[in-house]
């Protein structure tokens, strides 16, 4: 099993409903702060996208894309009545009009994508964006941040959110779960700050690391990069 198959199957990375709700509320606030007002945006690798209505309120259009067919099916059912939200699959992504987006958000995804695929993704996102459009890469993991830092960040978040007991039980469950085994067999992909900025610059993006990461884990990084206007 690889990461794509894992996310397309049954899994649980949240310790309870409160954890999930607080997680999506936090990333919603953080992403909204980085989006251009009243623009068209795509959440690439959207997952459950529970914060999508929160994002869509300040946008003219929100496109949700995921590579996992089961995720796409659930998102289409969840947002069927949302006029501003469009859920697309691989065919929809290929049919997306070039230069039609003001922003592309890629949050907590790059750790599951082989580095050999990253350059092609940057080309894709550049093609999706209008000149001057914004690429937002969130929750990027530095090489010196591992599972121990992730556990510490989760426990701080749990203390703030009032779910410490379920978080501790969830950590025990995760220890025996397919997620832990897969993470050991297929380590998460990491990037140094200078490495990421160089990769963005090589594709013509003017990027910078943000002072604050999207979400609760501040040991990880968020980058905002603008596509050149010419």
């Amino acid at each position: 099993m690889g990461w794509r198959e894992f996310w397309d199957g049954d899994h649980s990375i949240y310790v309870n409903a409160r954890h999930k709700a607080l997680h999506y509320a936090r990333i919603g606030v953080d992403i909204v702060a980085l989006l251009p007002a009243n623009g068209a945006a795509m959440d690439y690798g959207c997952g459950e996208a529970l914060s999508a209505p929160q994002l869509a309120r300040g946008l003219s259009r929100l496109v949700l894309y995921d590579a996992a067919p089961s995720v796409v099916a659930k998102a289409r059912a969840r947002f069927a009545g949302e006029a501003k939200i469009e859920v697309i699959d691989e065919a929809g992504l290929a049919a997306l009009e070039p230069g039609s987006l003001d922003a592309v958000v890629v949050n907590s995804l790059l750790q599951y994508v082989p580095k050999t695929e990253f350059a092609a993704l940057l080309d894709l996102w550049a093609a999706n964006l209008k000149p001057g459009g914004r690429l937002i890469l969130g929750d990027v993991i530095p090489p010196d941040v591992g599972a121990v830092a992730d556990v510490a960040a989760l426990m701080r978040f749990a203390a703030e959110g009032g779910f410490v007991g379920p978080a501790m039980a969830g950590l025990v469950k995760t220890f025996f779960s397919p997620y832990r085994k897969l993470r050991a067999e297929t380590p998460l992909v990491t990037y140094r700050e200078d490495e990421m900025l160089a990769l963005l610059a090589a594709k013509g993006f003017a990027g910078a690391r943000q002072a604050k990461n999207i979400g609760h884990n501040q040991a990880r990084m968020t980058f905002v990069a603008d596509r050149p206007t010419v």
Side-chain angles (χ1 to χ4, degrees):
M1 178 191 291
W3 286 113
R4 285 186 175 89
E5 292 76 15
F6 175 83
W7 292 114
D8 196 32
D10 293 329
H11 58 81
S12 179
I13 61 169
Y14 304 103
V15 303
N16 61 9
R18 181 169 179 79
H19 178 199
K20 179 187 284 191
L22 290 174
H23 166 79
Y24 277 102
R26 171 73 65 87
I27 66 171
V29 168
D30 292 345
I31 293 173
V32 165
L34 298 172
L35 288 173
N38 301 314
M42 175 168 62
D43 184 349
Y44 185 99
C46 63
E48 293 190 67
L50 298 185
S51 56
Q54 187 178 355
L55 306 187
R57 280 196 293 271
L59 296 170
S60 60
R61 177 191 182 198
L62 176 61
V63 179
L64 303 178
Y65 163 78
D66 203 280
S70 64
V71 173
V72 171
K74 291 175 184 176
R76 282 177 172 163
R78 181 177 294 121
F79 301 118
E82 298 280 354
K84 288 186 180 181
I85 299 176
E86 176 187 0
V87 183
I88 63 173
D89 55 14
E90 295 287 350
L93 182 66
L96 200 62
E97 183 180 353
S100 61
L101 300 175
D102 297 286
V104 173
V105 179
V106 186
N107 185 54
S108 200
L109 175 73
L110 294 184
Q111 61 263 42
Y112 306 115
V113 178
K115 284 192 176 183
T116 52
E117 299 179 16
F118 186 49
L121 285 175
L122 285 173
D123 288 335
L124 171 67
W125 299 327
N128 294 148
L129 288 166
K130 299 174 182 178
R134 174 170 292 181
L135 175 62
I136 301 165
L137 305 177
D139 219 35
V140 179
I141 306 177
D144 59 347
V145 173
V148 173
D150 290 346
V151 169
L154 171 62
M155 294 310 299
R156 285 193 296 270
F157 190 44
E160 294 171 6
F163 58 95
V164 170
M168 294 177 68
L171 289 172
V172 173
K173 182 179 178 181
T174 299
F175 185 83
F176 296 102
S177 73
Y179 179 88
R180 177 179 173 272
K181 181 181 178 182
L182 182 56
R183 183 162 172 169
E185 294 175 348
T186 310
L188 300 181
V189 178
T190 64
Y191 291 90
R192 300 186 317 275
E193 179 179 347
D194 63 332
E195 177 186 15
M196 177 58 72
L197 292 174
L199 289 168
L200 290 167
K203 294 297 182 178
F205 284 98
R209 180 180 176 180
Q210 302 301 288
K212 184 177 182 295
N213 182 39
I214 294 170
H216 72 274
N217 192 342
Q218 294 307 303
R220 299 184 178 189
M221 304 180 290
T222 288
F223 296 86
V224 171
D226 295 328
R227 184 186 175 199
T229 56
V230 291

